[in-house]
Amino acid sequence: MDTKAHGNWHAIARAIRPETRLLIDGTFRPAADGATFASINPTTGAPVADIACGGAQDIDLATSIAAKRFRDGVWSRMPLRRRVDILTRLAELVAEHRETFAVLDTLEMGKPIAEMCSIDVPASVLTIRFMAEGLDKIAGTCPVTNDGALHYILRQPLGVVGCITPWNYPLMMAAWKVAPALAAGNSVVLKPAEDASLSALLLGRLFLEAGGPDGVFNVVPGPGGVAGKALALSHDVAKIAFTGSTAVGRQMYRYAADSNLKAVSAELGGKSPQIILEDVENLTKVAATVADGLFGNQGEVCSAGTRILVARPLMEEFADLLRQEALTRYRPGDPLDPATTMGPLVSKTHQQRVLGHIATAVEEGGRRILGGALDPYPEASAFVEPTLFTGVGNDMAIARNEVFGPVGAIIAHDGPDHAVALANDNPYGLAAGIWTTNLGAAHRAARDLECGMVWINGYMNGDMSQPWSGWKLSGRGRDKCLDALVDSTHSKSVWVTLE
Ligand code: NAD
């Protein structure tokens, strides 16, 4: 997609009149109690929109309609090819509205428009298309059994899937959750994050335009502790597909236990290591890719490689290279300027949280070699500069806790085994990267690292076939890939007595 000249994106942003009402049963409507909440642009502090604030009553209505539509079979029993056509048309419509999606997410959460154009929007289109193409590629089985019986196992949709999404990739996370659930034949109620709800509402409108039946895909923005909680406690909901923090992810299991034992998939936080072994070639190129894996999307990435484990003899040289790469590649600025590589964080509240992590690292004796200035940015904005620490021990808070901002901790290791031990000595287990020319060391590390995804001599590369998932406190779930479709179904055993 083109990234237009600076100025055009501002013009598009000024002209946008986003849908701000709840989508329930194919109709946009205000919240039952008329409440609204303000969405704030973190670049300027100005309001973007007043959005209908869904509460428990709205969620009850949305889930009961979604359950009714599921039982009616308007979607769950629709001829498969028709379902494929509607989802394929939805993917096309998302591509046609790419500029609007790009501007909505950039305005609400500060992501650079260039990233929206090169990552979020194309990946969302691809996700919807992949799930549409995949829906008849998952199958039940017919196991061999005794004479006199026929045993077949059906794969059936679950019913209503409640999707609860974070703000860091607003459109893409919605697509990752909603597309497999719909493709498998479920009805959906989506509760997007408070800080970035507008692209989810547009996605809902486009589903209707694509020919999706009313009430099959409902979108109810609102506070997590009210609307999200009501959704996760609903007895009409068969599964919660959640992406967000580990703390709220834990809640999802409690809500399931306290209601109807619904299925839960949870994609949670991370503190992922990027390991640089001593034999690595072209340290400058490695530093550039490590910087991308750390500072892309302002570091507001679950899989951000925030623990940089460097072979001790390379420490000084690598820390300096990484600092240089960060300085040249990640300059905070206006996210609607296509040349900008780093926008503000999502909100002032989150900025203060990230600054708190930085202050703790300094108190614990970390040496800040990059970052820290706040004065070049307007008071109302939520910018945090790329920040790097050396002098970090693996037990310090900055090496253990997820910051979810542009902050990296550089830690020395004494060889491959020590590096893997340091990498695994953390409660999270989402992703890891390893940089080396030693084939055996790379594959041994890939085998031994306690996480859901490993990149060798790269970071964050992938395709739709890749299961996106964590281990340990990074959760339990499968996004992307055919597993996401399978996880949106359950099996049913049918035993036929033939004699
Ligand atoms: P969050 O947990 O605060 O919120 C996520 C969603 O949960 C939001 O929609 C929110 O409204 C809702 N929510 C909050 N409290 C709730 C409650 N009590 N009951 C029900 N719903 C509730 O997370 P966030 O700040 O939006 O996102 C950042 C987090 O998401 C980070 O930890 C990041 O690592 C994680 N994340 C993980 C992945 C992954 O694939 N593993 C991807 C993106 C983000």
Side-chain angles (χ1 to χ4, degrees), residues 75-232:
W75 180 252
S76 53
R77 295 198 186 131
M78 180 182 271
L80 277 196
R81 286 294 128 206
R82 177 86 188 110
R83 214 152 79 201
V84 172
D85 288 347
I86 290 171
L87 289 173
T88 306
R89 181 67 194 131
L90 174 62
E92 286 166 4
L93 285 171
V94 172
E96 285 168 22
H97 289 75
R98 55 192 175 264
E99 292 180 353
T100 311
F101 277 116
V103 166
L104 287 178
D105 282 1
T106 294
L107 284 178
E108 285 202 283
M109 62 74 64
K111 183 192 296 277
I113 199 86
E115 275 198 37
M116 279 306 299
C117 296
S118 62
I119 299 174
D120 298 48
V121 177
S124 304
V125 172
L126 181 60
T127 304
I128 300 167
R129 192 169 286 152
F130 177 93
M131 295 302 164
E133 288 165 354
L135 67 84
D136 57 359
K137 313 292 182 295
I138 56 169
T141 52
C142 188
V144 175
T145 188
N146 291 335
D147 254 14
L150 167 68
H151 181 206
Y152 61 95
I153 301 171
L154 296 171
R155 281 249 144 239
Q156 296 188 310
L158 298 162
V160 179
V161 176
C163 302
I164 301 182
T165 50
W167 45 259
N168 64 332
Y169 288 85
L171 171 64
M172 195 175 100
M173 289 299 108
W176 280 16
K177 296 296 175 201
V178 168
L182 286 175
N186 300 286
S187 299
V188 166
V189 177
L190 166 64
K191 207 301 284 175
E194 297 87 318
D195 288 314
S197 311
L198 295 176
S199 53
L201 289 167
L202 177 55
L203 189 66
R205 196 193 92 198
L206 297 183
F207 178 73
L208 297 175
E209 269 183 49
D214 293 350
V216 166
F217 178 21
N218 306 275
V219 186
V220 184
V226 180
K229 181 177 175 184
L231 184 58

Side-chain angles (χ1 to χ4, degrees), residues 164-169 173 176-177 191-195 222-230 232 242-249 251-252 255 266-270 300-303 350 353 402 404 428 430 453 468-470 474 479:
I164 301 182
T165 50
W167 45 259
N168 64 332
Y169 288 85
M173 289 299 108
W176 280 16
K177 296 296 175 201
K191 207 301 284 175
E194 297 87 318
D195 288 314
V226 180
K229 181 177 175 184
F242 174 79
T243 296
S245 62
T246 298
V248 179
Q251 281 297 115
M252 296 300 144
Y255 294 142
E267 296 284 0
L268 310 176
E300 295 166 321
V301 183
C302 52
S303 53
H350 189 54
R353 206 179 291 139
E402 183 180 47
F404 219 54
Y428 293 103
L430 189 54
M453 294 170 281
W468 186 276
S469 66
S474 295
D479 281 335

Side-chain angles (χ1 to χ4, degrees), residues 48-73:
V48 178
D50 249 345
I51 300 172
C53 183
Q57 206 183 328
D58 302 293
I59 289 286
D60 282 353
L61 179 63
T63 53
S64 61
I65 296 280
K68 183 168 181 323
R69 292 291 172 267
F70 182 75
R71 292 201 179 96
D72 292 349

